Amino acid sequence: PGMTKGSTIPNSEVTLDLDGDGTAKYNFPTFATSKGGKFNIVADMMNDAGEKKDSKTVGVVVEPGTAPAADDKSGDKSGDKDKDEDKDDK
């Protein structure tokens, strides 16, 4: 039933080695069943000895996931311009 405030999302932690003032991008895909909510992303800067030297936190809002519609018409040809509307076989 949801997450406990302050807990880490399973399998969301990554470690990146950056030189100097490098930039990194992070993408964590969610599922259609995701409930969404407010989350904090925390980036910790560690030195070669493993000591934490700096930390930045930013809050994000994740919208709830949406499952595909049950009446998905992906096979519907109603928008097919080549469809013979008058049924005269031409």
Side-chain angles (χ1 to χ4, degrees), residues 3-84:
M3 297 196 54
T4 304
K5 186 174 182 173
S7 63
T8 300
I9 298 172
N11 303 312
S12 67
E13 292 185 272
V14 296
T15 299
L16 303 168
D17 290 326
L18 299 173
D19 292 325
D21 62 350
T23 300
K25 293 183 180 184
Y26 176 72
N27 179 25
F28 185 75
T30 59
F31 299 99
T33 55
S34 296
K35 292 185 179 185
K38 295 178 183 179
F39 297 89
N40 287 323
I41 296 175
V42 179
D44 293 329
M45 183 176 71
M46 315 293 270
N47 66 13
D48 290 336
E51 300 166 321
K52 183 172 160 181
K53 297 310 247 179
D54 197 7
S55 182
K56 301 289 182 191
T57 302
V58 63
V60 297
V61 175
V62 176
E63 296 295 324
T66 55
D71 60 345
D72 183 5
K73 298 184 191 244
S74 60
D76 183 10
K77 303 283 187 210
S78 62
D80 189 347
K81 67 179 181 177
D82 297 327
K83 185 175 178 182
D84 186 9

